[in-house]
Every structure is written in C-alpha cells, then in structure tokens.
Amino acid sequence: MRSSPLEPAHEAAGATFTDFAGYRMPVRYSSDLAEHHAVRRAAGVFDLSHMAEVGVVGPDAVPFLDHALAGSFGAMPVGRAKYSLLLAEDGGILDDLVVYRTGEDVFLVVANAANRSVAVDALVARSDGYDVEVTDDSDTTALVAIQGPAAAGTLDALVVADRLQPETPLDELRYYRVLHALFDGAEVLVARTGYTGEDGFEIYSGTDVASSIWVALLETGADRGVVPAGLAARDTLRLEAGMPLYGHELSVDVRPAQAGLGRVVATSGSFVGDAGVQPDPDARVLVGLVTEGRRAPRAGYDVVHDGTVVGTVTSGALSPTLGHPVAMAFVDPAVAGEGQLLHIDVRGTAIPSIVTPFPFYRRTPRG
C-alpha cells in the first residue's frame, strides 16, 4: 500500500485512515459532518497526493492529446485547464481527467488514483508516432487542495507573507486556470480547480515541500475556520455539486452522453473511441434524484416506476447542506424528465423521489 508524503501530518492530526485506490488516505479527522460544513462555510484542506499526474511534453503534444483524449486542445491557451475523457476503443469511459496547459508544448494530465495504470498505459501506447514524451510523475508529485469561501483569503495571506509568490497576481486567476508560482522558493503550480462545488485552489508540488504547504494553509487559515478535511467529506461535497465519480457514475460501460458529458467530446477530428462514442437510444442516462424523509439511498438500490425497475442508484447520501437525501442514478430515458416522480427501493420501502437537474447545491457568488 502506498502512503502520502503527508501521512505523518495526518497521523498527528488524529486522522482515521482508509485504503483508497491502493493508498492509505485520511477519511476524516473530526467528523464527516463538521468537515463538510467547514468547506461550505469557511474552507477545508485536502490531501490529494494519491491522484495520478502524467506529464506530456513535446512538439506534437497538441495533436497527440487530440488523438488520445476525447477533446480538442489546439485552441486551449497556456494557463488554462480543461476537463476531458479518456475513452476505450469502443467509446466507453476509461477515466475522466483534468488537463492543464502549463507551457506551449507542456501539459499536465491528472487522472484518478484508481486508474493510474490504465491512464498511463493508454497514453503511452497512444503516443506512438508522435514527437512527444509521456511520463508518469505521480510518485514525485504531491497535491494539496484548499476548498471553500475562505480559500482565496488564505492564499492571499501567504502571498502577503511572501511565502507564496505567483507569477501573476492571484486575484487574476479565474476558474479553470493555472499559474506557476514559488512556495518558499520551490516551484509549484496553483490551479483554481476543485471537486467540491466551492471556490478553491489545488497546489501541485514536489513531495518534499508538501508538508510545508499543508501546515501553512492550516495555520494561516485557522482564524478563518479552515480545517483539514478527509475523503468522506469530499464525497458528500462532490455529490451535492452533481459531480460524477469514476467507479460510480463513470465506467468503461458508460458512454459520455449517458452521464451528461456529451459536451466534453470533440465534435470534429478523430480520436480513440470516436466510432463508438454515441450510446444506444434506449441506454440509461444519469439523473439527479431528491427524496423525501431522511433515509438516504445508497449505490445499488433499485429505482422503480409503476412497479417496474427502471434504474439503479450510483451515489446517494443525506445532504448535510440541504438537509434532505440526494442521489445520482442511471434510469431509462422514458422516465428521465425533470420533475418525474420515481421511487427508490430503500430496504423494501418505496421512497418517493423527484428527478432534479444537477447540481443539487450551487454556491452563492461572493464579492
């Protein structure tokens, strides 16, 4: 089992650990609920060093990525980030990714930890014939995220203290942008991206400076209500934000349009998986469900309409922010319309649920 470079800090903070994608990662520090609310009201600091980072460098970086992924990268300016998909030959989803363009011919591809080998192997194989170098940089890269309304103020304080030195003013960094910076003299990347539905930043660094970044964020943000947050809070936060999770909503058996990701797929050019990217007309589609009461639906529960099973829950929880259960489910297209009444079989009890558009929770813009 792999360990995060921040494991000593997690142990010192009293974290409860879990095995996640082959890593020993903190699932919580205090309570799932407290950490969830901290992110919505102030900010939480997450260790995401288990994620897979793949470097793509070379004169053919753009045409290679256009071929290897289901997106178009030629018009993507330096300093931008883009959500994309790695597809199998038949159009199924091998992984969902975030791609950062950090130089003219330099890209950083970030894959899910559980799909590290799949993503690296596929990208290396697809680089044949292109003047490009693909490297697995996961073991030498750490990733610390700060998410929540207090995130920007916390980073601003580090800039004022001259510990964080961005190449351009931090307040010019918009959503899905990335910039180069120095932290205590070490090179880092600061991205305004995240997986919680809140404003926030993700800081990519070498493993040797990750601990300093972690401590600085928590100490600087302490009077703002910033706390460490684990994987449990991260899951309920992303669910409220309507963000799919690989292994739940996304898999090799799912086509992008089924999961509401048709917009991510390039409409011109050719790429691996393009021939099979369109789902069958009767293929189930991903919807949001809001249920009554407080009994939370779980992955695997049946969705029923008029006594017939018409779908399956993929993720569900009692929303800490909204105070009622929410779920994601794949259902038959005929019952996928907004406002449709369905029922979820929760251990033999039919719980009424309404098809609801994503996201369940949307942050209120500040400032």
Side-chain angles (χ1 to χ4, degrees):
M1 188 179 296
R2 293 186 173 99
S3 295
S4 161
L6 292 170
E7 184 170 298
H10 302 321
E11 290 178 336
T16 299
F17 289 86
T18 188
D19 177 2
F20 186 80
Y23 279 81
R24 185 172 182 256
M25 297 298 295
V27 67
R28 70 182 60 82
Y29 300 85
S30 56
S31 78
D32 304 349
L33 192 61
E35 292 165 22
H36 180 108
H37 285 314
V39 174
R40 292 279 182 249
R41 298 167 182 170
V45 180
F46 298 85
D47 179 11
L48 306 179
S49 299
H50 59 298
M51 299 293 282
E53 291 87 12
V54 183
V56 175
V57 181
D60 287 347
V62 168
F64 160 66
L65 289 172
D66 285 349
H67 163 72
L69 305 180
S72 180
F73 297 90
M76 181 179 176
V78 174
R80 293 289 183 93
K82 189 172 188 176
Y83 181 77
S84 192
L85 298 170
L86 177 71
L87 302 183
E89 294 281 352
D90 66 358
I93 301 173
L94 290 174
D95 200 14
D96 63 327
L97 319 157
V98 176
V99 181
Y100 300 93
R101 191 170 194 173
T102 60
E104 191 61 32
D105 298 321
V106 183
F107 292 80
L108 172 64
V109 179
V110 181
N112 286 292
N115 292 330
R116 173 180 173 178
S117 296
V118 170
V120 172
D121 291 349
L123 291 171
V124 169
R126 295 174 190 185
S127 68
D128 189 36
Y130 291 90
D131 186 3
V132 67
E133 182 180 8
V134 178
T135 57
D136 182 359
D137 300 327
S138 308
D139 290 337
T140 57
T141 305
L143 174 55
V144 176
I146 180 168
Q147 299 282 301
T154 301
L155 286 195
D156 286 341
L158 289 173
V159 172
V160 171
D162 209 30
R163 297 195 67 184
L164 180 64
Q165 300 173 317
E167 62 180 351
T168 56
L170 203 59
D171 59 6
E172 295 179 4
L173 186 65
R174 300 295 183 243
Y175 188 53
Y176 260 65
R177 306 291 199 275
V178 63
L179 56 76
H180 292 271
L182 296 177
F183 181 86
D184 288 349
E187 294 183 359
V188 300
L189 290 174
V190 179
R192 202 159 200 163
T193 48
Y195 194 55
T196 64
E198 293 293 340
D199 183 26
F201 302 83
E202 297 182 315
I203 304 175
Y204 295 85
S205 74
T207 55
D208 56 334
V209 296
S211 181
S212 296
I213 294 171
W214 176 269
V215 171
L217 291 173
L218 289 173
E219 289 184 347
T220 304
D223 60 354
R224 296 174 170 85
V226 178
V227 302
L231 293 176
R234 182 172 166 84
D235 190 50
T236 51
L237 290 160
R238 70 91 191 169
L239 176 56
E240 289 182 345
M243 296 178 172
L245 176 64
Y246 199 91
H248 287 251
E249 289 71 44
L250 307 180
S251 74
V252 72
D253 297 319
V254 173
R255 302 298 181 270
Q258 290 178 258
L261 298 177
R263 68 189 184 283
V264 176
V265 178
T267 57
S268 61
S270 61
F271 52 86
V272 177
D274 58 356
V277 74
Q278 292 302 321
D280 294 333
D282 59 350
R284 288 177 171 176
V285 295
L286 187 66
V287 299
L289 297 174
V290 171
T291 73
E292 298 179 356
R294 299 183 66 82
R295 298 183 65 181
R298 301 297 183 190
Y301 286 7
D302 287 337
V303 181
V304 179
H305 181 252
D306 289 341
T308 301
V309 175
V310 295
T312 305
V313 173
T314 53
S315 296
L318 176 61
S319 166
T321 305
L322 304 175
H324 58 70
V326 297
M328 293 180 170
F330 277 100
V331 302
D332 294 343
V335 296
E338 182 179 345
Q340 173 72 55
L341 173 63
L342 301 172
H343 289 80
I344 299 176
D345 184 351
V346 180
R347 299 178 182 174
T349 300
I351 305 296
S353 60
I354 302 296
V355 175
T356 305
F358 299 121
F360 301 111
Y361 161 85
R362 191 185 301 275
R363 71 184 177 94
T364 301
R366 296 172 173 84

